[in-house]
Amino acid sequence: MSLYDYKIGAKICLDYGDDEFYGIIQAAMRMADTDNLEKLKAAFPEVWADLQARYKAPGGKLAGDPEETPAPAVDKPKSDCTPENPCCESRGVYNGFGSDGPLMFVCPKGCHCHD
């Protein structure tokens, strides 16, 4: 891991706080590689089951979910890919972000190369 990873973790805590823990775990599951996904599934089986059920449900809504206002969109600033901020190398890969619209890739790093 790196100082960058540490700073991203701190920013996530500031942006989302303690109440969004399980949402952050679901985001980690969406972004995880195979080995890390298996570790997350083993540690949080209920979160994985919920993520799978919601992934298959229209709009992620399950029977019994209360009516609520949608979460505000988080517009991540775009950044140029440089040697210090390399591209995520995930062009054309659907990662689960932006799923309230058409299935599309939204770069978690905000790379311009995906526009």
Side-chain angles (χ1 to χ4, degrees), residues 9-17:
K11 181 170 179 11
I12 290 169
C13 285
L14 286 173
D15 289 350
Y16 297 101

Side-chain angles (χ1 to χ4, degrees), residues 81-94:
C81 297
T82 65
E84 295 79 30
N85 180 38
C87 180
C88 66
E89 300 296 334
S90 297
R91 174 173 253 157
V93 176
Y94 173 65

